[in-house]
């Protein structure tokens, strides 16, 4: 399990990262002869949401790289009282890119990954060759969404019963049914009730990590709040003049069954990227996490964005992979397997007990 240490605004953090290449699902380094795509994950779950991108032989023609943000997955290092917004997440990514000595690369961001990608491309424009942005958020959270996020987190806190403070703190009880219902609600939002072996695996792994990282102590509850609530609430719109620094090709994808963020947001974002080479907004089938629910539609879009940019910049072309090429093993396949099931019941999460 590879880690790289980066100095963040809350101190050193050990970021879990993964590199997949055409010949390895868990490589020590990229193949410098190939383009590199850097994936930025969404909230609540982690990099395992990219299972069907890393498994796609059409995309595994390239180096595929991702990392787990502070507060997520196996990454070590507290957020604490430090400011934590898309800008700080971008600084973390840039630190990972520098530590791994990654060359100029292509970005794929979904959900909260989109404002981070915009921060990255506007502050380091010479290092970003293209961006594929899926399910873009509002520039700031509207009041109804803010209230909803606070309500969900308040329920999460209420489910924990503590006695004492500080060194004498003792966790007396956790309402497992309450936590289960919260997580089910979140996964239904992300996947629109589409239940597959993969979605149950992602949800089950997210449950396991939430129990460890955002539960069990008041300090862990505070970390959960920073990672999943205040990150949204404290963010500010990226100034228009900063967005004008983005020069690369950009593809923006909206998923038609995204119940939280309408297609107008994608068009509004496209209109602000006046200096970039923005393709017409694509409005395709899928839930908010359409990279999970509809990879057959999304993956060719991502590949075309990358190959078109490579041809424009480097005059490089890449042969198509045969349509019957088998799916490939990924850094996440084995992690997801214990939490996956074939049940049609979206309320059945493997391994959820308290």
């Amino acid at each position: 399990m590879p880690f790289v240490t980066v100095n963040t605004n809350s101190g050193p953090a050990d970021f879990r990262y993964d590199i997949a290449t055409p010949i390895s699902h868990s490589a020590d380094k990229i193949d410098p002869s190939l383009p590199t795509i850097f994936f930025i994950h969404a909230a609540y779950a982690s990099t395992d949401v990219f299972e069907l991108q890393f498994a796609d032989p059409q995309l595994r023609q390239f180096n595929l790289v991702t990392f787990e943000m502070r507060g997520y997955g196996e990454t070590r290092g507290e957020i604490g009282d430090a400011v934590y917004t898309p800008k700080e997440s971008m600084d973390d990514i840039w630190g990972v890119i520098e530590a791994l000595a990654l060359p100029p690369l292509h970005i794929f961001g979904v959900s909260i990954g989109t404002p981070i990608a915009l921060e990255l491309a506007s502050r380091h424009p010479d290092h970003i060759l293209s961006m594929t942005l899926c399910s873009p958020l509002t520039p700031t959270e509207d009041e109804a969404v803010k209230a909803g996020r606070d309500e969900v987190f308040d329920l999460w806190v209420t489910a924990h019963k503590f006695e004492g403070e500080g060194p004498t703190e003792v966790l007396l009880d956790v309402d497992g049914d309450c936590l289960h219902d919260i997580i089910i609600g979140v996964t239904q939002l992300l996947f629109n009730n589409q239940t597959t072996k993969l979605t149950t695996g992602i949800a089950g792994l997210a449950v396991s990590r939430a129990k460890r990282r955002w539960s069990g102590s008041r300090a862990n509850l505070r970390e959960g709040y920073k990672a999943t609530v205040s990150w949204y609430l404290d963010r500010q719109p990226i100034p228009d003049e900063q967005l004008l620094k983005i020069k690369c090709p950009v593809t923006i994808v909206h998923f038609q069954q995204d119940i939280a963020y309408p297609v107008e947001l994608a068009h509004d974002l496209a209109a602000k990227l006046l200096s970039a080479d923005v393709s017409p907004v694509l409005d395709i089938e899928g839930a908010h996490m359409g990279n999970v629910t509809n990879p057959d539609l999304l993956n060719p879009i991502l590949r075309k964005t990358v190959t078109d940019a490579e041809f424009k910049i480097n005059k490089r072309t890449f042969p198509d992979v045969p349509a019957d090429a088998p799916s490939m093993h990924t850094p996440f396949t084995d992690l997801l397997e214990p939490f996956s099931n074939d049940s049609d019941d979206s309320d059945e999460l493997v391994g959820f007990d308290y």
Side-chain angles (χ1 to χ4, degrees), residues 82-233:
V83 174
Y84 192 54
T85 71
K87 182 183 181 302
E88 286 70 40
S89 294
M90 179 278 298
D91 289 335
D92 293 349
I93 289 179
W94 184 245
V96 170
I97 288 172
E98 289 192 310
L100 296 178
L102 297 179
L105 41 72
H106 305 269
I107 294 290
F108 178 86
V110 59
S111 188
I112 72 169
T114 61
I116 301 171
L118 292 167
E119 289 277 2
L120 186 64
S122 61
R123 295 180 184 274
H124 304 281
D126 293 338
H127 212 81
I128 309 304
L129 302 179
S130 77
M131 290 195 295
T132 304
L133 306 177
C134 298
S135 304
L137 309 183
T138 51
T140 59
E141 295 292 89
D142 65 36
E143 292 305 315
V145 175
K146 286 182 181 180
R149 294 194 188 282
D150 280 332
E151 180 180 0
V152 168
F153 189 78
D154 287 345
L155 289 172
W156 185 269
V157 172
T158 302
H160 296 77
K161 304 299 181 185
F162 294 98
E163 181 178 82
E165 298 281 348
T168 65
E169 175 185 292
V170 177
L171 177 63
L172 298 177
D173 185 47
V174 177
D175 186 342
D177 289 340
C178 180
L179 299 193
H180 178 274
D181 291 345
I182 291 169
I183 294 168
I184 288 294
V186 169
T187 56
Q188 288 174 343
L189 171 67
L190 297 181
F191 309 131
N192 280 22
N193 293 314
Q194 296 190 38
T195 304
T196 66
K197 184 176 180 180
L198 177 58
T199 61
T200 57
I202 291 171
L205 182 54
V207 166
S208 173
R209 288 168 165 170
K211 287 161 58 178
R212 175 168 51 87
R213 299 211 59 153
W214 304 333
S215 181
S217 70
R218 290 189 179 98
N220 286 353
L221 293 177
R222 288 192 292 271
E223 285 290 293
Y225 184 84
K226 296 286 283 193
T228 65
V229 181
S230 66
W231 187 97
Y232 287 90
L233 306 189

